[in-house]
Amino acid sequence: MPPTPVISISALGKIYASGLVALQDVDLDIRPGEIVALLGPNGAGKTTLISAVCGIVTPTAGSVRVNGHDIRRDYRAARAQIGLVPQELYTDLFETPWDTIRFSRGLFGLPPNPAHLERVLRDLSLWDKRKDMIMTLSGGMKRRVLIAKALAHEPQVLFLDEPTAGVDVELRRDMWAQVRRLRDSGVTIILTTHYIDEAEEMADRIGVINKGRLILVETKTELMKKLGKKQLTLHLLEPLATIPADLSAWALTLNNDGGDLEYVFDASSEQATVPALLKRLGELGIGFKDLTTRQSSLEEIFVSLVKEQTDQPWSTPPGSIRSSIQSPSDRR
Amino acid sequence: MSTPIQVPTFNYHAILAIFRFEMTRFGRTLWQSLVTPVITTALYFVVFGAAIGARVGDIEGVQYGSFIVPGLIMLSLFTESLNNASFGIHMPKFTGTIYEILSAPVSAFEIVLAYVGAAATKSVLLGLIILATASLFVPIHIAHPLWMAAFLVLVATTFSLFGFIIGIWAKGFEELQFVPMLVITPLTFLGGVFYSIDMLPAGWRTVSLFNPIVYIISGFRWSFYGTADVSIGISLAATLGFLLLCIALVWLIFRTGYRLKS
Ligand SMILES: Nc1ncnc2c1ncn2[C@@H]1O[C@H](COP(=O)(O)OP(=O)(O)O)[C@@H](O)[C@H]1O
Ligand SMILES: [Mg+2]
């Protein structure tokens, strides 16, 4: 039995005043202690989803519970357990890190606890900067100040909205390490990203969101298994009308009017099934002029998912995908 | 984390945090926010009190320099309350830091109490400082000290609430300045700071009675010298009415999330 979710989102919807449907029928349970990545292109609705849970955007449908507390009726209890690090670097320029995190702790209704605040700042390598004006800090440090603010009230759940957007490679790695340390300290983390490698690197589970819909939520291992699939395509000399019964041991499909024979197999499997298939084909006198193999990447899976939003993302032919890939480095 | 979470039923830590934040902000601009009005007021006394006042003579038995003191305090109280409170809530909206307040376990009442409380506190302090400054220039008599204090707090609170509303409504800094500069200041100048409306011709006197500021200044002056343009009861009712109107508007703002949440 899965553990009781810390956050339970059901049938959540948001239509902005402009009429734009930003979220539609989103269901998602977050389990304690996990890192969930919400992956989606810009404008998918990631920030809206987070904002709705945190009380910044008013949902137009559905409900959210935080440890059983409804975010509207029981907003104090719900919000007290959540920390939010926004996408943009919203900081009070004239404050110091120390003052601003002390403010945050008070805002969330907790009595002062200098020892905790010191620990937070030290963990985020901000202790030396605690008395500097925030406006004098670098972008990476400002981001960490926002994380420190979000942690000042010892939340159980931390939302990180695009923690590494526009950040260079080295800082991204630092951030990832930071997030792992936080999780190790017992905090449940939901982060959004439009970098596939980030989701792959960080998350226990990945939710793919596009056009306001959560189209898939999978554990990373599950995704990796699918990722591990390889596809062999044989371009036949003579088109086949049907797949010969002799070949039923292999999961084959015929494409391109019988001109292509496709074999999808598990790349991690020990058994070498391809040589046997080729041998069998030779015996049956089925010749091919060329062959290609490919391994699906998470990126392709993602792109085909968001492009088609079908239930069978795996069957999309590779050629048609590559040309239309929306580069993950596309930024606003 | 197995520690049971503490859920405040009344989040006074938050009120304190915001209050302190606002007071620190005022502290950073202490020069503009305290010294400037004091100097301006002192200049009024030099010009109107000493130079012109000597030729004006007494109004309702009060020396002219003393007569204008309550009105000048109110003038500062209006603009300072509006500016402090409107900036206080507009800045987080402008910089985006409002996200934290919206996502915190604080009620609308607590937010208003903190922001308006801080703005009003500063205005009252300023009013008292101007009063002290004025007493260096002219003789001042306070007939009803408790009423004087009550008016000071009431007006500071009301206009801070009004400023809070403006701060939420304003989309930019021009709009923030619009109401104080183009509505309140003219109404105040025409509201009997420098004269008793009884000195006006009958027609203008009637027009003046449509100016709500007249009632506030008249009431405040009554607490000093015991004389008033309109009866103290009406003054009090007008001020309280304005306060209730502001409270209703703030209530509506938070109910609908107007210009706070999408
Ligand atoms: N306050 C708003 N009013 C109207 N539309 C909005 C607002 N905020 C976001 N949107 C729109 O909602 C959609 C989702 O936005 P957002 O949640 O920010 O996406 P993401 O974080 O995935 O990039 C976008 O089309 C965006 O333009
Ligand atoms: Mg976003």
Side-chain angles (χ1 to χ4, degrees):
Chain A
M1 202 186 81
T4 341
V6 257
I7 292 191
S8 184
I9 300 170
S10 68
L12 195 68
K14 174 64 188 179
I15 303 173
Y16 280 112
S18 60
L20 186 127
V21 180
L23 288 179
Q24 221 174 335
D25 213 17
V26 173
D27 291 300
L28 177 64
D29 279 355
I30 309 287
R31 301 161 196 155
E34 70 176 343
I35 299 181
V36 175
L38 295 172
L39 182 61
N42 282 327
K46 304 182 294 294
T47 299
T48 303
L49 178 56
I50 287 189
S51 302
V53 174
C54 295
I56 294 164
V57 158
T58 313
T60 43
S63 65
V64 180
R65 289 172 166 275
V66 183
N67 275 328
H69 301 287
D70 184 272
I71 56 161
R72 271 189 271 194
R73 268 191 308 281
D74 220 355
Y75 71 96
R76 285 196 204 259
R79 292 181 190 175
Q81 306 173 60
I82 295 179
L84 166 66
V85 182
Q87 181 174 348
E88 309 292 335
L89 291 177
Y90 298 135
T91 53
D92 287 304
L93 301 177
F94 299 105
E95 294 276 299
T96 64
W98 181 258
D99 288 341
T100 199
I101 65 171
R102 211 174 50 150
F103 171 84
S104 298
R105 189 177 169 86
L107 195 62
F108 278 74
L110 296 189
N113 182 345
H116 172 72
L117 297 187
E118 176 172 347
R119 207 158 44 236
V120 167
L121 286 185
R122 285 192 187 280
D123 286 350
L124 289 159
S125 317
L126 286 170
W127 181 246
D128 295 340
K129 301 280 179 189
R130 67 188 180 282
K131 290 177 185 163
D132 292 7
M133 287 276 192
I134 293 174
M135 61 190 285
T136 66
L137 303 181
S138 70
M141 285 184 212
K142 282 186 187 133
R143 176 80 57 194
R144 297 208 299 276
V145 169
L146 290 178
I147 298 178
K149 279 169 79 70
L151 294 173
H153 65 282
E154 302 161 56
Q156 293 188 16
V157 188
L158 185 67
F159 283 93
L160 289 160
D161 199 357
E162 310 231 4
T164 65
V167 157
D168 67 40
V169 180
E170 206 168 317
L171 280 175
R172 283 179 81 192
R173 301 220 161 270
D174 286 351
M175 185 61 71
W176 293 347
Q178 197 74 62
V179 172
R180 278 198 203 92
R181 277 202 295 280
L182 281 172
R183 193 264 295 277
D184 293 344
S185 74
V187 181
T188 305
I189 290 163
I190 296 109
L191 60 87
T192 72
T193 181
H194 56 259
Y195 300 121
I196 285 153
D197 58 333
E198 183 159 276
E200 206 169 334
E201 178 79 26
M202 297 300 310
D204 301 313
R205 285 199 301 154
I206 296 173
V208 178
I209 184 169
N210 188 50
K211 295 190 179 134
R213 285 183 178 278
L214 193 61
I215 47 188
L216 162 137
V217 189
E218 291 263 28
T219 62
K220 190 170 62 182
T221 25
E222 199 59 36
L223 269 183
M224 291 325 253
K225 238 201 268 171
K226 287 173 180 168
L227 239 177
K229 298 260 192 244
K230 270 195 166 182
Q231 189 181 38
L232 169 71
T233 308
L234 299 167
H235 306 289
L236 304 176
L237 288 169
E238 303 286 335
L240 284 177
T242 52
I243 297 166
D246 270 4
L247 297 174
S248 61
W250 294 270
L252 299 175
T253 48
L254 266 182
N255 287 326
N256 198 12
D257 291 332
D260 290 350
L261 194 59
E262 244 168 44
Y263 174 42
V264 177
F265 60 101
D266 192 349
S268 57
S269 163
E270 254 92 86
Q271 286 153 320
T273 54
V274 174
L277 170 66
L278 296 183
K279 185 160 170 270
R280 194 87 190 90
L281 285 172
E283 286 163 11
L284 290 171
I286 301 172
F288 53 91
K289 51 186 182 237
D290 198 6
L291 62 83
T292 51
T293 61
R294 59 179 286 275
Q295 182 155 17
S296 47
S297 70
L298 181 52
E299 182 157 329
E300 282 168 353
I301 294 166
F302 171 68
V303 169
S304 61
L305 269 173
V306 302
K307 260 197 71 148
E308 314 221 327
Q309 296 200 11
T310 66
D311 293 324
Q312 310 131 305
W314 319 106
S315 60
T316 316
S320 65
I321 301 173
R322 273 295 167 198
S323 56
S324 62
I325 278 184
Q326 187 186 0
S327 160
S329 58
D330 273 351
R331 288 180 198 143
R332 285 174 192 250
Chain B
M1 284 191 195
S2 55
T3 44
I5 52 135
Q6 296 154 277
V7 179
T9 46
F10 182 71
N11 195 344
Y12 64 89
H13 285 295
I15 297 174
L16 218 65
I18 296 174
F19 189 87
R20 193 150 70 182
F21 179 92
E22 284 296 281
M23 284 309 187
T24 312
R25 187 170 67 81
F26 299 148
R28 273 197 298 268
T29 53
L30 201 64
W31 182 253
Q32 296 104 290
S33 51
L34 288 183
V35 177
T36 315
V38 167
I39 291 178
T40 318
T41 314
L43 286 174
Y44 278 123
F45 285 120
V46 172
V47 175
F48 291 103
I52 297 175
R55 289 159 186 264
V56 175
D58 292 1
I59 300 179
E60 291 160 5
V62 181
Q63 179 190 326
Y64 186 69
S66 306
F67 178 85
I68 62 173
V69 170
L72 287 179
I73 293 176
M74 281 291 127
L75 180 62
S76 286
L77 210 61
F78 295 156
T79 47
E80 283 298 311
S81 299
L82 288 174
N83 285 337
N84 296 338
S86 62
F87 257 83
I89 191 66
H90 190 76
M91 279 308 278
K93 273 186 66 189
F94 176 74
T95 60
T97 54
I98 188 108
Y99 83 87
E100 198 182 17
I101 288 162
L102 293 177
S103 67
V106 283
S107 65
F109 176 68
E110 288 152 0
I111 294 174
V112 173
L113 197 63
Y115 277 107
V116 171
T121 302
K122 186 191 160 200
S123 303
V124 168
L125 285 177
L126 182 85
L128 293 175
I129 288 173
I130 291 176
L131 180 61
T133 312
S135 69
L136 300 177
F137 293 87
V138 288
I140 287 171
H141 170 71
I142 302 174
H144 311 284
L146 283 183
W147 277 112
M148 194 279 288
F151 254 105
L152 211 55
V153 171
L154 186 64
V155 170
T157 306
T158 305
F159 279 77
S160 294
L161 262 176
F162 188 32
F164 187 86
I165 294 166
I166 293 169
I168 286 178
W169 162 80
K171 283 186 171 157
F173 288 93
E174 301 80 32
E175 288 186 351
L176 214 54
Q177 294 298 322
F178 180 83
V179 176
M181 300 274 282
L182 294 176
V183 180
I184 299 302
T185 306
L187 284 182
T188 307
F189 273 92
L190 299 174
V193 174
F194 297 106
Y195 52 83
S196 161
I197 59 166
D198 289 333
M199 295 157 71
L200 298 174
W204 285 111
R205 193 187 127 79
T206 310
V207 171
S208 289
L209 289 177
F210 286 97
N211 178 357
I213 303 293
V214 164
Y215 299 88
I216 299 173
I217 292 179
S218 166
F220 192 55
R221 190 179 288 127
W222 169 85
S223 73
F224 278 73
Y225 307 120
T227 58
D229 295 348
V230 290
S231 100
I232 175 66
I234 295 176
S235 284
L236 203 58
T239 314
L240 284 173
F242 191 30
L243 176 67
L244 290 178
L245 179 68
C246 290
I247 290 174
L249 282 175
V250 168
W251 180 80
L252 255 177
I253 283 173
F254 277 97
R255 232 199 115 81
T256 57
Y258 173 78
R259 291 199 182 168
L260 278 177
K261 294 188 185 195
S262 24

